[in-house]
Amino acid sequence: MRISFHSLHSELLKSHNTLSKTKSLHALVIATGLAGNSFFATRILRFYVINGHLVFARQDLVSWNSILSGFANRGFWHKCLESFSKMQTLGIKPDGYTMVGLLTCFSDPNLLDVGRGVHALCLKHGLDASMHVRSALVSMYCRCNALSFAVQEFSEFSDPDLITWSSIIAGCSQLGECRHSLFFFSEMIKAAKIPDPVVIATVLAASAQLAMIQSGKEIHAYVFRHKLDSQVMVASALLDLYSKSGFFNLAVNVFEMMGERNTVTYNSMIMGLGLNGLPHKATELFKQMLENGLKPDESTFSALLSGYCHGGLVAEGRELFKRMEHKFGIIPETEHYVYMVRLLGVVGHLEEAYNLILAMPALPDSAIWGALLLGCSLHGNSHLLKIIADHLFETKPDKTAYRVMVSNIYAADGRWHDVENLRDTMIEGMPQKVPGSSLLCT
């Protein structure tokens, strides 16, 4: 009997299916390889549970695991926990895949205690020895901003596999602990494990963030020896590293030697050209990218606008900002507005920048107002200062740098009374030192 995906979908949506019909559909789901699909699994289990056929519901652990994974992948941690609780009510014993699905749904520091509770369940059911469960635990702790727990869990591995090494390296990088990321990568190499392109790209990004060109070059040498430099992901990370570290000639060499290039690669090179004061060449590369049939994305326009800011190319910036939506169908995001406001502000078109902010479909944030404040500071313009200051002090009341910039503009304009008032509020907001105490003696 042949049945299509859509026919099976329609049959499972019917509310009057009998037990016999549902069992037949269940068999078809398994036979067609759709048992891992959360929709099919949910519909079948729902029928069994609602109609009291708990024996069949208990038998299908694969479907339950599929449901948990489906909810976890969509970020529905509440539903994931509810489904797990229902499993326990039915007396279904979880396996390693159950726990991995459950652990995947925790990605918020506020859910750390819940995640630790699931860890305790892993210990209770004797599932903590499983490699994929431990990897999921390491990832969960990193996502929940609990690096010490992640490292502790990782340290209990006698021989971590590639997935586990990837989990700790990526987790450290995501938490901004780039030195830890590089350390674990070094340990991974010492353990004779071969990293995949994702791990390589992660540690190259960590090197770029730390501006550690030497470690980046060593990783590049490793990449070259193991013939990983043809990987687009790795090459893009190398471009980013060399561009941000002041070795743009090396970035050019990497780009020219690449056999395959995609949008991400072009974005990295365009950003590098802009950062190194070559916005016109960035525009040329953008044209080449289009000629090669590649479609630009949001990051492409961020890279170009960033370069135009460095070069003060106002006309090019205006034109590109219009083309984003009208020609390429990409709606400008906050980052694009920040670049445009900064570009207009740097060259003194402050009223135009302000009108652009007012025309934004979304509420401007502190980054937008801060970009306009920078323009006012550069050109000593106090006309828009009151409006900008009100917005900034409301959204970022503790940002001292903004207050200093406003104070300097007031001073340049001779408004000493405003300077005094502003500095008084700054002093009031600062923590007061307790007389007679010392941090060194506590």
Side-chain angles (χ1 to χ4, degrees):
M1 177 184 176
R2 294 189 63 185
I3 187 166
S4 68
F5 178 95
H6 294 292
S7 298
L8 192 54
H9 185 279
S10 299
E11 288 295 323
L12 283 169
L13 284 173
K14 294 177 180 177
S15 58
H16 58 273
N17 285 333
T18 62
L19 174 60
S20 176
K21 180 69 177 293
T22 302
K23 287 173 68 178
S24 297
L25 290 171
H26 190 180
L28 276 171
V29 166
I30 295 171
T32 52
L34 294 171
N37 184 291
S38 59
F39 167 78
F40 293 115
T42 303
R43 295 299 301 185
I44 290 168
L45 286 175
R46 185 171 180 272
F47 174 85
Y48 286 148
V49 172
I50 289 176
N51 292 283
H53 304 298
L54 302 184
V55 173
F56 299 106
R58 291 192 187 100
Q59 291 172 349
D60 199 7
L61 178 60
V62 174
S63 294
W64 280 107
N65 288 346
S66 173
I67 291 170
L68 291 177
S69 296
F71 285 142
N73 291 334
R74 290 167 177 78
F76 301 152
W77 65 271
H78 279 292
K79 291 184 176 294
C80 200
L81 287 174
E82 287 172 7
S83 297
F84 182 71
S85 176
K86 194 172 292 183
M87 277 181 64
Q88 291 182 305
T89 302
L90 292 170
I92 301 173
K93 187 177 180 181
D95 62 5
Y97 294 102
T98 312
M99 291 307 185
V100 169
L102 197 55
L103 289 165
T104 305
C105 73
F106 305 125
S107 56
D108 186 323
N110 294 322
L111 297 174
L112 176 60
D113 288 341
V114 184
R116 294 192 69 189
V118 175
H119 189 174
L121 282 174
C122 292
L123 296 171
K124 178 181 177 181
H125 291 283
L127 299 170
D128 58 310
S130 166
M131 190 71 76
H132 61 288
V133 171
R134 283 194 166 184
S135 295
L137 284 166
V138 170
S139 295
M140 182 272 293
Y141 281 130
C142 288
R143 290 194 306 273
C144 291
N145 202 14
L147 185 58
S148 59
F149 288 119
V151 172
Q152 180 181 337
E153 185 64 25
F154 179 83
S155 65
E156 295 180 8
F157 283 83
S158 57
D159 183 25
D161 62 4
L162 177 60
I163 295 175
T164 310
W165 280 109
S166 300
S167 297
I168 192 68
I169 290 169
C172 290
S173 181
Q174 289 162 7
L175 289 173
E177 299 290 345
C178 295
R179 292 184 186 277
H180 284 82
S181 186
L182 293 172
F183 167 77
F184 282 113
F185 178 73
S186 176
E187 293 298 302
M188 178 183 181
I189 300 302
K190 290 177 185 176
K193 301 293 183 182
I194 305 297
D196 62 11
V198 176
V199 174
I200 294 289
T202 299
V203 291
L204 284 171
S207 297
Q209 192 167 336
L210 293 168
M212 293 178 65
I213 190 62
Q214 186 56 41
S215 66
K217 286 182 175 180
E218 290 173 4
I219 297 168
H220 190 176
Y222 178 89
V223 164
F224 185 78
R225 289 196 305 272
H226 290 82
K227 296 181 172 56
L228 293 168
D229 50 329
S230 62
Q231 297 284 341
V232 176
M233 183 183 295
V234 173
S236 297
L238 283 167
L239 287 176
D240 189 58
L241 166 70
Y242 289 137
S243 297
K244 289 180 177 177
S245 302
F247 291 82
F248 189 61
N249 59 319
L250 295 177
V252 173
N253 290 341
V254 170
F255 185 77
E256 290 179 345
M257 291 174 64
M258 290 179 67
E260 180 188 352
R261 298 168 186 167
N262 63 8
T263 300
V264 175
T265 309
Y266 273 97
N267 289 350
S268 298
M269 195 63 188
I270 289 169
M271 178 63 81
L273 287 164
L275 288 173
N276 287 273
L278 300 168
H280 290 293
K281 287 192 175 294
T283 303
E284 291 174 12
L285 193 62
F286 175 60
K287 291 177 181 177
Q288 182 191 115
M289 173 184 173
L290 297 178
E291 289 169 1
N292 289 337
L294 292 173
K295 186 178 180 181
D297 58 14
E298 290 83 356
S299 298
T300 311
F301 293 100
S302 290
L304 284 164
L305 289 171
S306 173
Y308 293 164
C309 281
H310 289 285
L313 305 182
V314 179
E316 289 84 348
R318 288 194 190 107
E319 179 63 22
L320 184 74
F321 195 76
K322 290 177 185 175
R323 291 176 69 199
M324 270 185 69
E325 186 171 0
H326 296 154
K327 183 173 181 178
F328 299 100
I330 295 177
I331 298 173
E333 297 177 352
T334 298
E335 185 178 24
H336 303 114
Y337 278 99
V338 169
Y339 284 128
M340 274 306 298
V341 170
R342 187 181 299 169
L343 173 59
L344 293 168
V346 164
V347 297
H349 298 311
L350 299 173
E351 290 291 339
E352 184 181 349
Y354 178 60
N355 289 332
L356 180 65
I357 293 174
L358 295 181
M360 285 180 63
L363 198 65
D365 61 10
S366 61
I368 298 284
W369 292 114
L372 185 57
L373 177 61
L374 175 63
C376 290
S377 177
L378 289 172
H379 296 279
N381 186 305
S382 61
H383 175 60
L384 293 170
L385 202 57
K386 180 67 168 62
I387 298 171
I388 299 171
D390 287 344
H391 283 289
L392 281 173
F393 297 163
E394 181 181 346
T395 56
K396 290 285 184 180
D398 56 342
K399 192 77 171 181
T400 306
Y402 290 145
R403 293 180 181 270
V404 171
M405 289 176 69
V406 172
S407 176
N408 289 340
I409 298 173
Y410 282 151
D413 207 33
R415 296 166 58 177
W416 299 108
H417 180 69
D418 291 325
V419 171
E420 186 178 346
N421 288 340
L422 185 58
R423 290 186 176 172
D424 285 344
T425 61
M426 289 171 63
I427 293 171
E428 288 173 8
M430 292 180 180
Q432 299 299 308
K433 185 176 182 292
V434 179
S437 68
S438 170
L439 292 174
L440 298 176
C441 299
T442 56

